[in-house]
Amino acid sequence: MQSNIDIEKMQNPSELFTWLKENTALGILPDEVLGSIEPLLKKVSLSAKQIIVDRDQEIAQLYILEEGKVQTVGINENFSLLSGAVINLQELLLQQKAKYSLQTLTNTTLWSISAVEFNRLVTQYPQISQAFTSQLAQQVASLSSQLTFEQERQTVLRPYLVTKAKRGIVGKSRYAVRLRQQVKNACDDRDSVVIFGEQGLEKDNIAALIHYSSIDRHQPMIKVDCGKLQASGAELFGRVGGKLGLIEALGKGTLVLNNIQDLPPELNDAILQLLKNNTYYPVNRSDTSNTPQKISQARLIVIAEKALSDINNNVTHLIKVPPLRVRKADLADQVNYYISLISRSKKVNKPQITPEALRRLQGYDFPNNLRELENLIERSIGQLSGCNQLTEEIIWPSQSKKQQFRFNLLNAYPKLRSFLRSPWYPDRVNYGFTLTIFALVVGILFLAPQNRQENFALNIFWAWWWPLILVLFPFVGRLWCAFCPFMIYGEVTQKLSLWLFPRQLKSWPRQTAEKWGGWFLFALFTLIILWEELWDLPNTAYLSAWLLLIITAGAMICSAIFERRFWCRYLCPIGGMNGLFAKLSIIELRAQQGTCSAECTTYQCYKGGAQKGEGLETLGCPLYSHPAQLQDNRDCVLCMTCLKACPHRSVTVNLRPPAIELWTTHQPRSYEIALLFLLLNAVFLHKLPQINHLLGLGLDLSQFWIHSLGSIVVLIVPLIIPSIGYGIMYLSTRIKNRQPKSFIELAYGYLPLVLCANIAYYLHLGLTEGGRILPVAWATFGLDGSNLPIFVAHPAVITFLQGFSLIFGMICAVILSQKIARQSIKTLLPQHFSLVALSYLFWQIISLNVISN
């Protein structure tokens, strides 16, 4: 090193003296002493990367840096020296070895004096030791003060410290990608952040990710539970002349205010002020007007379970954490992450989760989100014994409300699943049997004798089909629509027309159909009922045939114009009735929403498509209903297209409590209530002659216009009873200053009685004329069937069954009304009395069937 040192004599002592006085630590010395040092200084020039001092070596020279860059070497946090720095001064005064090595980074110029000469001057001038000893004492006092503050700071912060982020953001869904980007954006500055979302989403971990990924990662981070803060705010803001507050102790660190919605109201204004301008006031019990305002250097991150407008308007970054139920695509990654984490902590081999267990998790909504999932996986791993798989038997999340009281028939009966996915259901049955039989029935209705006693097609239609379909509604819902001949001919028309005239079928006018389609089918059903009554359809075969052909024509015309089953979804009067009564069914077709959202990307059950996995090629749902979104049996015809198309085994056919959708997921519709009361009043219409006789009205029903007017009146008047019942209930509720349920909601409570009243009416036909099918069939072809067996129920049996149907329907209607209203029996007494009154009137007119015969 000595060979590289170029020693020059001082050229201008006066300039050097001035520089030493103004720019170096030696400037505190008296001029006399500094004047004695100046002549002894020698200029030294060093090139880059040269060592000036070696650590733990004896000090040979005192150096003063004039220009260039010098840096410490070999310690954890290197630092550079500025021009005017005096090197080795403290070591020479205290007679110590070098504390660290120094190296030049660039060409550097220094002034030097040997250690021997400097020590001689120290002996000659005691002022040197006195001056620097006083300075060292001040530094020690300052360091002591800083150490005391740091100890107090650590004591204040320690209970709230967050030392690291527990984990990153798991998953590859668009929600996870967006959340990662929002965290990255928040790391790029020190602006305030609001993180909000449901419970159990580990929002505090996201706050830790933001802090420990930012430039302030070496500063402390604390988390404060707002629900535990004193109303005075002394923990946060400190006290005047008292204990240090968290904000002051934190310095430039990050303050996380967890559960801000639980903040004491007295602190709202103070927190808003802190967010707006980073200022706060320490707590002062004596004179608050003279409390000094302080500036916060801390970064604020606010955590909430819901959006708070006052808070959100004063922050830069707003991060909404999506719940786990909408991130089902990330569920497999989350599960595998927790399996790895928990297995490592328990020191067990990492198990695998089976596809069936994963599907069960995907069918659950996780109200407590990630926290609940982690606890569930930990519990499941704890149950493992000699097995390396997490199966669906040990993965048992709590049932969601949507899945409570459901029993999946497809899992219980695999052969049922195979049959429903086979070509036989329903296509081969429809095109190999129903298509032909329907044409045959219509032909017989036109060509055979025109009364029920001699036309077996008419007998089947009125004495078999109507009673059976009504009885089956509570068991199989809208199953009839899967084999409906109207729509089979509609599908044939659609396929044939596309073959003859290739074109793009029109999309559904959904908005118009949703608004007016229900009222169209209501009007059409009203006309059918009036036609049935005024022209005696049940005993006029060719008119019954025309009724079937008109409905079929509607299906064919709509199928030739619109894609899929537009007629079936919106316009079919029989389909409207089926959809209404299907709400009472104990069977439903649904899909596991979690599995659909996590695994499905093609939506083949809805759109249709080619074969994928075990999913078969289909044209998609004929009613444009997605099974995962179904909330109402009215929108499903049980054709099982979705079951055939689904490659993920998501579709379920469930047993459920009857009518459960009416008090859970149901959306009331006014046209359905109109159809409901039309079906209720139709029972009275069917018994118009008996009503005329019972009331002694003396109407000549052989006169068409009198018959027509009487029919219309009968279709309207019975509605007075439910209306009066609701009116009384509405007034009594309003008197108590409570908001009553709407008439449209409560009217669905009449549905069981409407169904049972229609069953009671058609029971007479089914149990008398239905049993004469064999002689009637012979008579259809002009043969004598008088010797063939007949099966007719005793009038007492029929009366009993009719009475039982009405009582059962009334009881079910009372129970359903209570479930829908969720109010006390006392509140709903007017509606219950209406049900009893209607049941009594039904009995009075229906029982006349047997008496008159």
Side-chain angles (χ1 to χ4, degrees):
M1 182 179 71
Q2 294 296 330
S3 61
N4 295 328
I5 298 176
D6 182 15
I7 300 174
E8 297 180 0
K9 296 292 184 180
M10 184 179 59
Q11 300 296 323
N12 194 344
S14 60
E15 290 182 5
L16 178 59
F17 181 88
T18 304
W19 182 78
L20 292 172
K21 188 74 174 176
E22 295 177 355
N23 297 288
T24 70
L26 301 178
I28 64 172
L29 298 175
D31 292 349
E32 177 187 0
V33 176
L34 192 58
S36 300
I37 294 174
E38 177 191 355
L40 301 176
L41 292 174
K42 300 176 182 178
K43 200 168 192 178
V44 181
S45 297
L46 301 177
S47 58
K49 302 297 182 181
Q50 281 195 273
I51 298 296
I52 301 175
V53 179
D54 281 322
R55 183 180 177 182
D56 295 331
Q57 298 297 316
E58 296 290 341
I59 302 299
Q61 298 283 334
L62 176 74
Y63 294 103
I64 304 172
L65 177 62
E66 183 178 43
E67 59 182 22
K69 291 185 178 181
V70 175
Q71 187 180 45
T72 57
V73 180
I75 59 177
N76 291 335
E77 294 188 11
N78 296 330
F79 57 89
S80 301
L81 303 182
L82 301 176
S83 175
V86 181
I87 301 171
N88 298 331
L89 175 61
Q90 185 175 334
E91 288 83 346
L92 284 173
L93 291 173
L94 300 176
Q95 297 183 356
Q96 296 175 343
K97 295 182 179 180
K99 293 181 179 179
Y100 35 71
S101 300
L102 290 174
Q103 183 184 42
T104 60
L105 297 179
T106 62
N107 292 335
T108 303
T109 302
L110 306 105
W111 293 97
S112 74
I113 180 174
S114 68
V116 175
E117 291 178 330
F118 183 76
N119 286 331
R120 180 178 57 78
L121 289 172
V122 169
T123 303
Q124 183 179 353
Y125 297 103
Q127 298 97 319
I128 297 177
S129 296
Q130 293 172 0
F132 288 109
T133 300
S134 175
Q135 188 181 58
L136 285 173
Q138 292 177 4
Q139 290 177 358
V140 169
S142 176
L143 288 173
S144 177
S145 175
Q146 289 181 18
L147 180 60
T148 302
F149 174 80
E150 189 63 30
Q151 289 175 338
E152 183 180 0
R153 179 191 184 203
Q154 291 299 325
T155 301
V156 170
L157 296 180
R158 190 174 295 113
Y160 307 94
L161 283 174
V162 178
T163 57
K164 63 179 181 179
K166 291 189 292 185
R167 59 184 62 92
I169 297 168
V170 179
K172 300 180 284 293
S173 71
R174 66 180 187 275
Y175 297 103
V177 171
R178 182 174 63 190
L179 190 56
R180 274 192 287 269
Q181 185 59 48
Q182 289 177 316
V183 169
K184 183 178 181 299
N185 293 341
C187 294
D188 294 338
D189 54 49
R190 300 191 79 251
D191 294 340
S192 53
V193 183
V194 164
I195 304 171
F196 69 98
E198 297 176 5
Q199 60 182 355
L201 287 171
E202 298 184 340
K203 300 182 286 294
D204 53 347
N205 182 64
I206 293 176
L209 283 173
I210 293 173
H211 173 79
Y212 287 105
S213 301
S214 70
I215 57 174
D216 296 322
R217 65 179 67 89
H218 299 299
Q219 298 292 336
M221 172 185 174
I222 62 172
K223 181 178 70 173
V224 178
D225 191 343
C226 294
K228 296 180 181 179
L229 287 175
Q230 298 177 10
S232 65
E235 297 106 314
L236 282 179
F237 309 124
R239 296 185 183 276
V240 175
K243 185 179 178 181
L244 198 65
L246 287 171
I247 295 176
E248 186 175 358
L250 189 60
K252 293 183 178 181
T254 298
L255 171 62
V256 178
L257 296 174
N258 194 28
N259 295 322
I260 194 70
Q261 70 275 358
D262 298 332
L263 186 75
E266 297 85 350
L267 294 179
N268 285 340
D269 292 340
I271 295 299
L272 286 176
Q273 177 185 339
L274 190 64
L275 286 168
K276 286 179 181 178
N277 49 34
N278 291 327
T279 60
Y280 65 97
Y281 291 93
V283 176
N284 190 349
R285 290 182 177 176
S286 56
D287 186 5
T288 57
S289 60
N290 294 326
T291 303
Q293 187 182 62
K294 290 193 174 184
I295 297 177
S296 168
Q297 296 179 305
R299 182 185 193 177
L300 261 65
I301 298 181
V302 176
I303 294 177
E305 289 189 356
K306 58 183 179 180
L308 302 172
S309 56
D310 290 343
I311 299 292
N312 295 352
N313 293 336
N314 291 286
V315 299
T316 303
H317 301 286
L318 195 62
I319 300 176
K320 181 179 181 180
V321 185
L324 187 55
R325 65 177 176 274
V326 304
R327 290 179 57 194
K328 293 294 179 66
D330 293 333
L331 190 60
D333 291 334
Q334 289 280 5
V335 167
N336 287 321
Y337 173 77
Y338 284 132
I339 288 174
S340 300
L341 193 71
I342 296 166
S343 300
R344 192 161 52 246
S345 66
K346 290 180 176 292
K347 297 181 180 178
V348 297
N349 293 330
K350 179 182 175 182
Q352 301 295 318
I353 186 167
T354 64
E356 293 78 15
L358 188 60
R359 277 197 291 270
R360 174 171 285 195
L361 291 179
Q362 289 167 341
Y364 180 55
D365 283 345
F366 289 98
N368 289 307
N369 293 291
L370 295 175
R371 188 184 304 135
E372 184 176 3
L373 176 62
E374 184 175 9
N375 291 338
L376 190 150
I377 298 298
E378 185 172 10
R379 183 185 68 205
S380 301
I381 292 176
Q383 294 179 79
L384 286 176
S385 178
C387 177
N388 202 36
Q389 281 191 326
L390 297 181
T391 63
E392 58 181 330
E393 288 78 19
I394 59 175
I395 291 285
W396 38 281
S398 302
Q399 284 187 311
S400 67
K401 291 183 179 180
K402 291 182 181 179
Q403 293 302 316
Q404 285 178 345
F405 312 115
R406 262 63 169 191
F407 177 74
N408 186 0
L409 293 171
L410 301 183
N411 286 345
Y413 304 102
K415 289 184 179 179
L416 175 63
R417 179 187 188 87
S418 299
F419 171 70
L420 294 178
R421 284 172 51 84
S422 72
W424 283 99
Y425 187 94
D427 290 346
R428 287 185 182 175
V429 174
N430 284 339
Y431 291 99
F433 176 78
T434 310
L435 191 71
T436 305
I437 290 298
F438 181 73
L440 181 63
V441 167
V442 172
I444 293 173
L445 288 173
F446 273 116
L447 301 174
Q450 294 296 294
N451 57 74
R452 289 202 303 274
Q453 289 72 34
E454 298 178 288
N455 192 318
F456 85 89
L458 199 61
N459 181 284
I460 288 175
F461 184 52
W462 294 101
W464 282 88
W465 185 80
W466 271 106
L468 281 176
I469 193 175
L470 290 170
V471 170
L472 289 176
F473 277 134
F475 299 99
V476 293
R478 206 173 168 177
L479 183 66
W480 155 255
C481 292
F483 303 94
C484 172
F486 311 139
M487 209 55 236
I488 295 171
Y489 277 89
E491 289 181 350
V492 170
T493 302
Q494 191 174 81
K495 294 174 182 177
L496 188 61
S497 67
L498 288 174
W499 178 64
L500 293 174
F501 309 101
R503 66 196 186 281
Q504 182 70 40
L505 293 173
K506 290 189 176 182
S507 300
W508 292 2
R510 286 181 179 272
Q511 189 172 357
T512 303
E514 289 285 351
K515 185 176 182 181
W516 299 109
W519 291 107
F520 174 86
L521 69 84
F522 165 75
L524 196 55
F525 207 99
T526 305
L527 293 175
I528 290 172
I529 288 176
L530 289 173
W531 188 17
E532 175 189 345
E533 173 65 25
L534 298 175
W535 277 273
D536 194 18
L537 257 65
N539 204 42
T540 310
Y542 80 94
L543 290 179
S544 295
W546 276 115
L547 172 61
L548 297 176
L549 289 179
I550 288 171
I551 298 175
T552 305
M556 294 171 70
I557 292 169
C558 285
S559 296
I561 298 172
F562 298 105
E563 57 187 357
R564 308 202 187 188
R565 296 189 184 181
F566 179 74
W567 171 266
C568 204
R569 174 73 183 256
Y570 292 112
L571 305 178
C572 178
I574 306 300
M577 179 192 70
N578 295 352
L580 184 64
F581 286 138
K583 299 174 191 288
L584 301 174
S585 174
I586 62 173
I587 292 285
E588 67 176 11
L589 184 144
R590 298 292 187 266
Q592 301 174 44
Q593 291 183 340
T595 301
C596 293
S597 61
E599 298 188 18
C600 184
T601 58
T602 59
Y603 305 104
Q604 287 173 268
C605 62
Y606 178 75
K607 297 179 179 178
Q611 180 174 355
K612 180 182 179 183
E614 71 171 43
L616 305 176
E617 181 179 0
T618 69
L619 297 176
C621 177
L623 295 194
Y624 268 130
S625 295
H626 194 293
Q629 305 302 324
L630 277 174
Q631 295 184 332
D632 195 326
N633 276 0
R634 135 195 123 96
D635 296 328
C636 177
V637 295
L638 296 174
C639 65
M640 301 299 163
T641 301
C642 53
L643 178 63
K644 296 173 189 245
C646 179
H648 308 296
R649 295 205 168 199
S650 175
V651 177
T652 62
V653 178
N654 300 322
L655 281 179
R656 64 173 196 173
I660 190 173
E661 68 192 40
L662 289 174
W663 71 84
T664 53
T665 61
H666 188 255
Q667 294 294 322
R669 297 172 178 86
S670 55
Y671 77 81
E672 285 186 339
I673 299 306
L675 181 60
L676 183 152
F677 284 113
L678 177 66
L679 291 166
L680 182 148
N681 297 341
V683 179
F684 291 100
L685 180 61
H686 294 323
K687 309 299 291 184
L688 181 56
Q690 287 85 347
I691 293 173
N692 183 32
H693 174 74
L694 185 65
L695 298 179
L697 299 177
L699 298 175
D700 184 4
L701 297 179
S702 63
Q703 298 293 321
F704 179 79
W705 292 112
I706 294 176
H707 196 177
S708 301
L709 183 60
S711 299
I712 294 171
V713 170
V714 169
L715 285 178
I716 296 174
V717 169
L719 184 58
I720 294 174
I721 296 175
S723 300
I724 292 174
Y726 180 76
I728 295 172
M729 189 166 53
Y730 180 86
L731 290 175
S732 63
T733 307
R734 294 299 294 171
I735 289 172
K736 297 176 183 177
N737 292 321
R738 288 185 296 186
Q739 186 65 33
K741 290 271 188 178
S742 69
F743 179 72
I744 293 178
E745 288 181 272
L746 292 178
Y748 283 95
Y750 290 88
L751 191 56
L753 179 61
V754 174
L755 176 63
C756 289
N758 277 275
I759 290 174
Y761 168 73
Y762 281 103
L763 271 175
H764 180 263
L765 286 176
L767 296 178
T768 56
E769 296 187 21
R772 303 178 187 273
I773 186 66
L774 292 178
V776 170
W778 254 245
T780 302
F781 300 101
L783 303 173
D784 182 13
S786 58
N787 294 325
L788 294 174
I790 61 174
F791 305 93
V792 179
H794 191 278
V797 174
I798 297 174
T799 302
F800 170 78
L801 292 175
Q802 288 177 322
F804 177 81
S805 296
L806 291 173
I807 293 173
F808 181 75
M810 180 188 69
I811 294 172
C812 290
V814 169
I815 296 172
L816 181 58
S817 297
Q818 288 291 150
K819 298 291 275 184
I820 293 173
R822 295 185 178 90
Q823 294 173 340
S824 66
I825 293 180
K826 183 178 178 181
T827 303
L828 260 69
L829 274 179
Q831 177 153 326
H832 298 337
F833 281 130
S834 298
L835 288 165
V836 173
L838 286 170
S839 301
Y840 175 77
L841 291 175
F842 282 139
W843 171 249
Q844 288 297 312
I845 63 168
I846 289 175
S847 61
L848 291 174
N849 231 343
V850 177
I851 295 171
S852 62
N853 286 279

